[in-house]
Amino acid sequence: MTTRKVAVFGLDGITFDLLQPWLDEGRLPNLARLLAEGAGGPLRSTIPPVSASAWPSFMTGTNPGQHSLIDFTYPAPDGYDIRVSNGRTRAVPALYEFAGAAGLRVGVVSLPMTEPPQPVNGFMLCSFLTPSQESDYTYPPALKQELLDACGLYPMRMSEKGRGVDPGVFVRACKQLEIERAQSVLYLLRHKPWDLFVYVLETTDNLQHEIWHLVDPTHPLHDPDMAARVMPDILDYYATVDRLLGEMLALVPADALSVVLSDHGFGPFHKFFHINNWLADNGWLVFKRTAVSRAKRAAFKLGVTPINALKALTALRLSDVRKNVKRGRGGGLLRRAFLSFNDVDWARTKAFSVGNFGQVYLNVKGQRPQGAVDPAEYEALRDAIITAAQALRDPADGSQVVPVVYRREEVFHGISAARLPDLVLHTDRAKYVSFGHADFGSNKVIEPSLGQTGHHHMNGVLGLRGPGVRAGARLEGARLVDPTPTILHYLGLPVPRYMDGRVLTEAFTDEFNAAHPVVYSDIDPGVGLGDDAVFSDAEEEQVLQKLRDLGYVA
């Protein structure tokens, strides 16, 4: 098969649930044209549907049990320290590494979970978890100054302007960031050689967390007056994204494959489910009996919590301070002032949660230093947690909060599975988002959302256009692990058999498939040992602050 070019454009979190009416109305002509001229359909995300895990599943064609990334933070496999995920945590090769090893030139820009930059056969520009503008975020290193000279600053940090105070200002800030980033992307497409190009536009996700109640009239927090005022800015934002996408697609050669995809979908949510509080109420998570921890626990019950501090700061319109009191892993001051994992009695704790998507870890003897779960009771404890989770009802209306609970082995398999959660409590994602953090943001088990009104749903978007693609084909049943095997095949490279994804042959014509049968390789995925310690303590705190700004941790 002749080597072809492939350009991948990720639009983080986009969903047909939001975009389809605008596609039908002609508001997004470039995306609509790609879908009409090529093959497309919904794209099923990973469990859990979080960017920190989903984008690695895309780039490796594997489930988290192979590549090891489960969320932005996770507990150390042999203890209770909370670690920050990064590109080196990934345990199996990425798409661009396969292409580069085959002699193809690659360009990777703003693909989440690639930080810090690594040597590639081409160039790499990282952004999402880059600690700061002063950090090294390009390969080769000289590319950073080249882009500064030619295009100006490539923004590393999502803007907080207007967030939580004036959504119109926030929407316009997201648009401006993408305009500024696009200058560098267009420069790279024009001036650098590539056979595989990957760029992820990130603010679509960031924006949708904040404005879903404005685009969804059925949301309990919908404000018709605010929606009417901000909707022109929202429509202008998406029109700008589409325009920038069109400018980039125009620079892709006609004989190349263009791919547009999202790592997960998006939709409403109404309430938070605080898993660690629920685990504590059921006796599976236990606090220390020291005087300090008792006092913090008593204050916690009275409402001295980070979330109530956030409410007060929001009411006072102190947005610059607000961003420092978000849910999740607290900094030193938060952990001293509020109830935190520092106050957990690990020797008596059987289960705890770290992450934003229902991840529950059991504190098993022989696996963690103060294990409280005898291996002989492991299955009985999992069964008990599953039964209790599925029986949990929202006291406000009796709704089932957790309709599905996955055991580890039901959704994760591979060389990294042993370090992943023992259970995933998969909430009713149209109403509830689980927050199991390394601190206790609220003293409630279930409470109305604050700050965010949209969250990750399972179905994203996939579109392919290029020579050999079946024009107008509707793709059904595609999963996020499928595009990478498909791209490798299109590039004329073998597909490793260990990948969980498959080549989407239904996206191509019969003639193309007959001329290009899929070729597989039997290479080993590796040993499953990712590198965690790549950031200094100061850099890690900068990364955590960025995640706090986005609402993922605090």
Side-chain angles (χ1 to χ4, degrees), residues 243-398:
R243 174 179 62 81
L244 296 173
L245 175 64
E247 293 178 10
M248 295 169 193
L249 288 169
L251 296 176
V252 176
D255 61 352
L257 176 69
S258 294
V259 181
V260 173
L261 57 81
S262 57
D263 57 327
H264 52 73
F266 235 91
F269 88 98
H270 302 169
K271 296 183 179 182
F272 293 122
F273 168 39
H274 296 280
I275 298 184
N276 281 321
N277 292 349
W278 177 76
L279 291 171
D281 286 351
N282 281 277
W284 293 312
L285 186 151
V286 181
F287 294 98
K288 295 175 181 176
R289 297 165 175 163
T290 65
V292 171
S293 292
R294 285 180 183 272
K296 289 167 71 175
R297 178 73 169 149
F300 178 78
K301 290 180 178 179
L302 293 173
V304 180
T305 68
I307 233 17
N308 284 334
L310 176 60
K311 289 177 181 177
L313 292 169
T314 301
L316 294 171
R317 303 175 72 85
L318 297 175
S319 59
D320 288 340
V321 182
R322 172 185 180 270
K323 65 184 180 183
N324 294 313
V325 194
K326 294 276 184 71
R327 288 175 168 73
R329 179 187 179 188
L333 176 61
L334 285 176
R335 303 193 80 163
R336 289 192 298 272
F338 299 105
L339 192 72
S340 74
F341 264 25
N342 289 348
D343 301 295
V344 171
D345 186 342
W346 294 111
R348 296 190 296 143
T349 289
K350 294 189 174 184
F352 61 98
S353 182
V354 175
N356 292 331
F357 291 83
Q359 301 99 299
V360 173
Y361 297 83
L362 301 195
N363 189 22
V364 180
K365 292 179 181 178
Q367 296 180 12
R368 299 187 189 273
Q370 299 180 61
V373 178
D374 190 290
E377 67 170 314
Y378 176 82
E379 289 300 343
L381 178 59
R382 287 209 301 182
D383 289 343
I385 294 174
I386 290 170
T387 299
Q390 292 183 321
L392 178 64
R393 295 297 185 270
D394 186 339
D397 61 8

Side-chain angles (χ1 to χ4, degrees), residues 19-30:
L19 299 189
Q20 193 61 57
W22 299 338
L23 289 165
D24 295 341
E25 294 166 6
R27 295 181 182 274
L28 309 173
N30 294 294

